[in-house]
Amino acid sequence: MWPLFALVLGLLVGSFLNVVVHRLPRGESIVFPPSRCPHCGRRLGPMDLVPVLSYLALGGRCRYCHRPISPRYPLVEALTGGLFLLASLFYPPSLEALMVFAFLGLLVALAFIDLDTYELPDGLTYGLLFLGLFSALLLGFPLPFPQALDGALLAAGALGLIAGYGGLFLRRFREGRAEVPVGPHQVHMAALFGALLGPGVGMALAFLTWALSGRTGKAVVLPDRVTLPLLPLFLLLSPLLGGDFLEALKGALLAAGGLALAGGLYWALRPAPPETEEEPVAMGYGDVKLLGALGAWLGLYAFLGLFLGVFAGALLGLLLRQRKIPFGPYLALGGVVAFFFGETLWRAYMAWLGL
């Protein structure tokens, strides 16, 4: 009975997610007006809104204007229903199960919005992050709070640095424009200081440069051409200097993740700066925030989700011969697989290595 309930609930939630995916990027209310045909504008009745079945019964066309309805609608409904059904096989009726349903629903919405717009809305990514941290704090689920917080910071820091190195290579080692008061430069500085002095000091120094930049109106930062090459050099030399490589790496990622998520939240709450000439980027910071949110739910298994997402995205990009693809859907896919099967995959991998 519980799996059937989860399936029906997922289908209904998927129907609502279609509204979110369509309206949220346009800045429209997801509550009013009621659902209507995107072609003729006719308000849809209850019989037009039965998940999946209405689409099949109407032959994929509007009942009123007979124009085709995108198969995206039943796909989102069926996918959400299937994910909720999968979750019900792992979790009995409980508050934890409802948290997992929310986790899956947010990932579905983020994936399909990114497919349409190449953007990941801050409201959804930070909603996913704070929901994971809140669940960890309140329920100790799916991780104890310290592990959830560390997972979020480590994951966001790692992808923030990957984006930084990728951008530096794409700019052919030319210095990028520093955002005021906060941007990727502070993330890269935090990583270097975190590796040298520990994550707390690294974050504090980067926050100080953020405050000084806001106070002066000018970017008070170290150049990327200094911080990014120095970081791996110090990490490699840390054992020779009496330090520990893994501790230095952890300090770098924790500090970078703290700045990446805090800076992203700042720009989510502040008016967007005037648009200027775009610089080449390897990855948007929406992906950094999404991986940080996955870290709050998965802990270190977020890196498995990242690996699976990169593999799936690269494979599909090669098959479709596309140079630019939205990464959010593949991160979401990797996150779902890692959430349900991460431990199983890791054990199978270790057994394959003979460990």
Side-chain angles (χ1 to χ4, degrees):
M1 196 65 184
W2 168 241
L4 178 60
F5 173 81
L7 173 62
V8 173
L9 177 63
L11 291 171
L12 294 173
V13 170
S15 182
F16 172 71
L17 292 180
N18 276 317
V19 177
V20 175
V21 170
H22 179 75
R23 296 186 183 183
L24 189 63
R26 295 171 172 81
E28 301 174 358
S29 169
I30 60 175
V31 180
F32 299 103
S35 296
R36 57 191 65 236
C37 173
H39 301 298
C40 65
R42 183 76 174 267
R43 180 174 176 177
L44 303 179
M47 297 304 295
D48 303 317
L49 297 172
V50 180
V52 181
L53 296 180
S54 290
Y55 181 88
L56 297 175
L58 295 171
R61 294 183 176 273
C62 172
R63 182 190 302 274
Y64 309 102
C65 67
H66 306 294
R67 296 183 66 179
I69 302 170
S70 171
R72 167 80 60 86
Y73 291 95
L75 174 61
V76 170
E77 294 164 352
L79 176 61
T80 310
L83 288 174
F84 279 32
L85 174 61
L86 176 64
S88 73
L89 302 179
F90 285 81
Y91 299 97
S94 59
L95 186 55
E96 286 83 356
L98 293 179
M99 289 293 185
V100 174
F101 290 161
F103 166 73
L104 295 172
L106 285 167
L107 284 181
V108 170
L110 283 163
F112 281 91
I113 288 175
D114 199 24
L115 278 173
D116 285 342
T117 66
Y118 284 85
E119 293 182 359
L120 293 163
D122 288 321
L124 297 184
T125 52
Y126 279 104
L128 185 65
L129 169 65
F130 292 136
L131 183 65
L133 294 177
F134 175 76
S135 179
L137 183 62
L138 183 67
L139 305 173
F141 173 83
L143 299 167
F145 181 75
Q147 291 183 28
L149 182 59
D150 277 0
L153 298 182
L154 289 169
L159 201 56
L161 287 172
I162 290 172
Y165 284 109
L168 187 63
F169 288 133
L170 288 176
R171 294 192 304 270
R172 298 179 182 179
F173 295 92
R174 295 193 302 269
E175 188 62 29
R177 182 183 66 255
E179 295 184 27
V180 178
V182 63
H185 279 76
Q186 275 92 350
V187 174
H188 308 153
M189 289 172 58
L192 179 61
F193 295 145
L196 288 167
L197 304 169
V201 177
M203 275 191 270
L205 291 175
F207 275 114
L208 177 61
T209 67
W210 178 349
L212 291 174
S213 296
R215 182 73 174 176
T216 62
K218 298 179 181 179
V220 182
V221 293
L222 292 175
D224 280 348
R225 288 182 296 183
V226 172
T227 55
L228 290 176
L230 279 180
L231 175 59
L233 179 62
F234 174 77
L235 291 175
L236 291 173
L237 293 177
S238 57
L240 301 177
L241 300 175
D244 182 272
F245 174 82
L246 291 179
E247 282 300 314
L249 177 62
K250 183 179 179 181
L253 297 184
L254 287 173
L259 261 293
L261 293 176
L265 185 60
Y266 171 85
W267 287 118
L269 299 175
R270 298 280 294 180
E275 291 188 5
T276 57
E277 183 180 354
E278 290 190 4
E279 295 180 342
V281 294
M283 183 177 300
Y285 255 66
D287 300 316
V288 174
K289 300 168 201 172
L290 176 54
L291 189 65
L294 288 174
W297 287 88
L298 306 175
L300 294 181
Y301 282 127
F303 291 96
L304 173 61
L306 174 61
F307 170 78
L308 294 172
V310 169
F311 178 78
L315 181 62
L316 193 62
L318 289 172
L319 291 175
L320 299 180
R321 297 183 179 180
Q322 290 183 339
R323 298 183 62 185
K324 181 181 179 182
I325 59 173
F327 191 38
Y330 305 103
L331 273 182
L333 172 63
V336 169
V337 173
F339 183 80
F340 288 113
F341 307 108
E343 186 173 352
T344 301
L345 291 172
W346 178 251
R347 287 180 178 176
Y349 177 68
M350 296 302 287
W352 180 70
L353 293 178
L355 300 175

